[in-house]
Amino acid sequence: MSEYSDDLSNQNLPQILGSSGTISATGSECNYLQTALSQWAGQRWADGKGADEQDANQRWDRERCGSIGADSGDTLKPVLANITQNLRTLTGHDSHQIQECLVGSSVEEVLQWVMVLARRRQSQAASNSSADPKCLVALGSDHGTGVVGRMASGRAESRTPEWPVLPGFAHVGIHDIAGRIGADTAMVLLSPIELNDMARPVDAKTLGAIRKACDQQSVPLVIDHHAIPPIGGGNFWAHEALAAVQADAVLMSAGLLGGMPGGLLVLGSDLAQQLNKATSTDQGDSPHHTTAGAIAASEMASNEMVACLINASLDQWVSEDWLAIDVDTMAVQWAERLATRETIRDLHVTGRTIGIELDLPATDWIQAASQFGLHAEPAGDFAVRFQPPLVLNDDTAALLLDRLDLVFDFLQAQESQQLQDSQQTSGTQTASPEESPADHSDEIESASEMESEFESDDLLETDESLESGEEAEPDDVDAEEADSEEYVPDEDELDEDEDEDEDEDEDEDEDEDEDEDEDEDEDEDEDFDDEEQTHEPDSFDENSSDQAELTEETEEMDPAENKKPTSSAETESA
């Protein structure tokens, strides 16, 4: 870590949770939820004092199952009715658009409920069809971490081998959903913000086309807000802020439960009708046992504690008028502050859900942010997501931006340091013993000295030739000398030279024999002359010419080797 990072990290900066808006509209500080939970707990266990054993067993059964029993259904009805009315107030919808609400112990639970209701509805509408009803899901969307949620998302990284593969899902790109809706589609499930794709919102045109196709095929549109808090700025749901589109069912959780597990399912009249067809059975009046094909509302068992927390949050939304809180100002501040950052490619803002597209891995950015007490969520391989609370004072908003600056400054300093180290490493490699020009200085100096000597010798020879009056040809002479010095004959040439020497020796022997024969002839001629006392100059001239021709032939063969002293016979003959 650089000194820059050490100086900042040693300041013991307070931790900032960048996604605290998913806890509540006020972040981690939500006293109204604490008060509501305390009141619920006090009523819950205070009622048990002095109760008989039967009442205690009934309460224990409800607590163990995490749901209300038949005896407490009437107690929860006013809470669910208040939740429904608050949602109508916040969204401006009527009883047809928001007819009933169900509260579950988890997002996974309410997701299962809406799938059951949609498949039930589709099977009734297409009773003569043998096709298995499908849930059409936007590929890569986020629908929770449960078994059903993992299968619904269609993300390969969320479906590891140990998780079971559930049938009944068809995954399609968000822009292709409208064209795939058909008679075998039980419902369409999507999220208005693609949290795993740089937190980009779905465009209004796409949402409008999907809604139109659903109406044409009579298919319910279910929109998942379980990870998207209410956005404010005049809109409660994000999809209604993006386009004038109504959903047949909405899943909610973030921003309502103070970080506790649980889920809320908001149903329109079309799907809510599937809850009102339960009948009594031959096994008694228990709602857990219904006739074939019927679904009792009590089977969608609501959680009392979750209902208490959601009811308290919605009461606060209505009483504090949080719906009117401006969200555009903060978006502009973020855009202005981050506009000069070279590592940011784009910024996606929808209410309080902000996606920052980066040119570096999201894991690297999140790790660097953790050193400065800032927590963010990944929004893809190269993007991070922030969801600050809706209720945010100016000082807190400025502190969050300042913390962002610290992270980006650190990353920029780290990048500059890495670039500097890389340049130094490159310089060191350039001057390494294997490649450094300085290591060849001796060879270069030796070559220069040799070249200087050659030039000096050439100049000296040129001067001597000029003094003697001869023309200097240093290039040719040097070339001949180099050839004579460097040339080494091979074995074949040596054998040829030996053969030539042997031939020359044989020729010399033949010449010597001929000379001896001639000498004998001359001696006989001399004896004959002495006896006859006569002189024939023509024969002498003829012999002399023959001897001269023989001598010339011998000299032509090898002047150097055939040059020898004249014999005594030749002298006498001369």
Side-chain angles (χ1 to χ4, degrees):
M1 187 184 299
S2 65
E3 295 180 358
Y4 178 86
S5 175
D6 291 337
D7 293 341
L8 293 177
S9 60
N10 290 334
Q11 295 179 4
N12 296 323
L13 297 175
Q15 293 289 323
I16 295 180
L17 179 61
S19 59
S20 60
T22 59
I23 296 176
S24 71
T26 56
S28 300
E29 297 180 1
C30 40
N31 296 329
Y32 56 93
L33 291 180
Q34 181 179 359
T35 301
L37 190 59
S38 298
Q39 292 176 351
W40 172 82
Q43 294 175 0
R44 176 80 176 179
W45 289 294
D47 292 343
K49 294 180 179 179
D52 57 17
E53 184 177 356
Q54 182 178 2
D55 292 339
N57 290 336
Q58 291 176 350
R59 286 191 295 273
W60 167 248
D61 180 72
R62 295 195 302 269
E63 179 64 23
R64 182 188 62 182
C65 299
S67 61
I68 59 174
D71 60 336
S72 58
D74 295 337
T75 306
L76 190 59
K77 282 183 179 180
V79 178
L80 294 177
N82 190 62
I83 291 175
T84 303
Q85 184 57 45
N86 282 336
L87 288 175
R88 292 171 183 167
T89 301
L90 294 170
T91 60
H93 295 322
D94 56 20
S95 59
H96 176 76
Q97 296 165 328
I98 300 178
Q99 182 168 337
E100 194 161 352
C101 294
L102 298 175
V103 178
S105 300
S106 65
V107 174
E108 177 84 354
E109 189 174 22
V110 295
L111 178 59
Q112 293 180 30
W113 291 350
V114 72
M115 289 181 61
V116 170
L117 295 175
R119 290 169 67 91
R120 164 76 176 167
R121 174 187 175 279
Q122 199 274 344
S123 63
Q124 291 179 346
S127 58
N128 297 327
S129 175
S130 59
D132 185 24
K134 300 290 183 181
C135 177
L136 199 59
V137 187
L139 181 63
S141 56
D142 186 359
H143 300 292
T145 58
V147 176
V148 177
R150 288 172 183 264
M151 297 303 104
S153 69
R155 299 174 61 202
E157 59 271 22
S158 66
R159 294 189 297 173
T160 51
E162 61 269 15
W163 291 90
V165 178
L166 302 180
F169 294 100
H171 299 96
V172 186
I174 185 66
H175 300 288
D176 300 327
I177 288 181
R180 293 288 300 274
I181 299 174
D184 62 340
T185 305
M187 73 180 215
V188 174
L189 177 65
L190 59 85
S191 174
I193 301 176
E194 299 180 83
L195 298 178
N196 296 312
D197 187 13
M198 298 170 287
R200 294 186 301 181
V202 180
D203 60 275
K205 183 178 180 180
T206 300
L207 287 174
I210 294 173
R211 177 70 268 181
K212 182 178 180 180
C214 287
D215 293 339
Q216 292 174 348
Q217 297 292 334
S218 186
V219 173
L221 174 61
V222 180
I223 299 182
D224 187 355
H225 286 259
H226 86 274
I228 305 173
I231 64 172
N235 293 284
F236 187 73
W237 286 326
H239 70 272
E240 293 183 342
L242 298 173
V245 171
Q246 296 181 2
D248 297 294
V250 176
L251 279 68
M252 297 190 68
S253 178
L256 299 178
L257 292 164
M260 298 288 289
L264 172 65
L265 176 60
V266 184
L267 296 174
S269 60
D270 193 10
L271 290 176
Q273 291 176 1
Q274 303 301 321
L275 294 173
N276 301 326
K277 296 179 180 180
T279 60
S280 61
T281 68
D282 54 1
Q283 299 182 20
D285 295 333
S286 174
H288 293 285
H289 302 282
T290 59
T291 58
I295 300 175
S298 56
E299 277 194 74
M300 309 297 181
S302 295
N303 186 291
E304 290 181 349
M305 183 187 71
V306 173
C308 176
L309 294 175
I310 292 175
N311 187 49
S313 293
L314 295 179
D315 282 344
Q316 200 78 2
W317 268 84
V318 173
S319 62
E320 298 294 332
D321 195 18
W322 285 346
L323 195 67
I325 294 179
D326 176 64
V327 294
D328 294 335
T329 301
M330 183 176 179
V332 173
Q333 292 175 349
W334 279 58
E336 292 177 350
R337 181 73 72 90
L338 302 178
T340 58
R341 298 296 179 180
E342 296 180 355
T343 56
I344 296 180
R345 295 180 179 178
D346 205 349
L347 192 67
H348 307 284
V349 181
T350 306
R352 285 290 195 257
T353 301
I354 303 171
I356 302 178
E357 187 177 353
L358 305 168
D359 63 356
L360 73 159
T363 53
D364 295 348
W365 199 97
I366 293 174
Q367 183 178 4
S370 64
Q371 300 177 13
F372 302 99
L374 179 61
H375 175 76
E377 295 290 339
D381 294 335
F382 292 89
V384 293
R385 180 178 80 244
F386 290 93
Q387 292 173 295
L390 178 66
V391 181
L392 199 64
N393 58 46
D394 294 339
D395 293 339
T396 305
L399 179 61
L400 179 57
L401 285 175
D402 292 341
R403 198 66 60 88
L404 285 172
D405 282 336
L406 291 179
V407 178
F408 282 109
D409 289 341
F410 166 71
L411 291 172
Q412 184 176 358
Q414 189 179 52
E415 183 179 1
S416 300
Q417 184 64 37
Q418 291 175 353
L419 180 60
Q420 183 178 358
D421 294 342
S422 177
Q423 292 176 349
Q424 292 178 353
T425 304
S426 300
T428 304
Q429 292 178 352
T430 303
S432 62
E434 296 180 358
E435 301 178 0
S436 176
D439 295 337
H440 299 282
S441 59
D442 295 339
E443 298 179 5
I444 296 173
E445 291 177 359
S446 299
S448 301
E449 293 175 357
M450 292 175 65
E451 185 177 356
S452 300
E453 291 177 0
F454 290 147
E455 293 177 355
S456 300
D457 293 342
D458 293 340
L459 293 173
L460 181 59
E461 292 177 0
T462 304
D463 294 340
E464 291 177 353
S465 62
L466 292 174
E467 291 176 0
S468 61
E470 298 178 356
E471 294 182 0
E473 297 180 357
D475 297 336
D476 297 339
V477 173
D478 293 342
E480 292 176 0
E481 290 178 355
D483 292 339
S484 62
E485 293 175 359
E486 297 178 1
Y487 175 71
V488 179
D490 56 13
E491 294 180 358
D492 295 337
E493 293 179 354
L494 292 174
D495 292 339
E496 291 177 1
D497 293 340
E498 290 178 359
D499 294 338
E500 291 178 359
D501 293 338
E502 290 177 359
D503 294 339
E504 292 175 357
D505 292 338
E506 291 176 358
D507 294 338
E508 290 178 359
D509 294 338
E510 291 177 359
D511 293 339
E512 290 178 357
D513 293 338
E514 291 177 359
D515 293 339
E516 290 178 358
D517 293 338
E518 290 177 358
D519 293 339
E520 291 177 358
D521 293 337
E522 291 176 357
D523 291 340
E524 291 178 358
D525 292 337
E526 289 177 357
D527 294 338
F528 180 79
D529 291 338
D530 291 339
E531 291 176 359
E532 296 296 330
Q533 298 292 322
T534 60
H535 177 67
E536 297 179 359
D538 295 334
S539 64
F540 176 80
D541 295 335
E542 184 177 358
N543 294 331
S544 299
S545 61
D546 294 337
Q547 182 66 28
E549 291 176 1
L550 180 62
T551 303
E552 290 175 0
E553 292 176 359
T554 306
E555 290 177 355
E556 290 176 359
M557 292 174 61
D558 194 349
E561 294 182 359
N562 292 323
K563 189 175 181 181
K564 57 184 178 298
T566 307
S567 62
S568 59
E570 293 175 352
T571 305
E572 291 176 0
S573 175

